[in-house]
Amino acid sequence: MPELRCTVQTCLHNKDFYCALDGIVVGGSNATTAEQTCCGSFEERRGGDTYSNVTGEASPKSDIDCKAVECRYNEDCHCHAGKISVEGSNACQCEQTGCATFTCGCGK
């Protein structure tokens, strides 16, 4: 499992730059750039939600179901990068997030 670092502080699952989910989905089935990817597991933290409301333990390791089939780290829809970074610090919706580790392996 890759190490997942998340800078999306507006996500309900973010706790100290780690994800409280056991796994996430990276979207972008037609992506050829990092900007065309997104975290499909993103849920916006609402006004009353605080970091203490995050359920589960946040872990640096996470299973990544990757839909970005052109990414060089994608093997059978699973991410095999050692580390990934999900970015989009002020995101309000998943389209404003992205996998900064995405590297196009177009025509692998």
Side-chain angles (χ1 to χ4, degrees):
M1 269 193 275
E3 182 177 318
L4 170 63
R5 178 96 169 144
C6 180
T7 66
V8 187
Q9 293 294 300
T10 54
C11 182
L12 179 64
H13 308 295
N14 186 309
K15 184 175 183 182
D16 299 325
F17 299 101
Y18 293 123
C19 187
L21 298 175
D22 291 335
I24 66 166
V25 175
V26 171
S29 58
N30 297 316
T32 56
T33 66
E35 291 78 21
Q36 295 171 332
T37 65
C38 67
C39 180
S41 303
F42 171 84
E43 287 185 63
E44 185 179 14
R45 184 185 314 272
R46 301 291 177 184
D49 297 328
T50 64
Y51 295 115
S52 61
N53 289 20
V54 174
T55 59
E57 287 293 316
S59 169
K61 299 284 185 176
S62 198
D63 184 44
I64 314 295
D65 179 7
C66 183
K67 305 300 184 199
V69 295
E70 293 295 337
C71 183
R72 68 179 293 200
Y73 302 111
N74 184 324
E75 293 178 22
D76 298 319
C77 292
H78 290 283
C79 180
H80 289 278
K83 296 179 180 182
I84 78 161
S85 177
V86 173
E87 298 183 354
S89 59
N90 294 313
C92 297
Q93 54 192 351
C94 69
E95 291 81 9
Q96 296 171 322
T97 65
C99 177
T101 308
F102 175 92
T103 302
C104 191
C106 303
K108 294 181 207 176

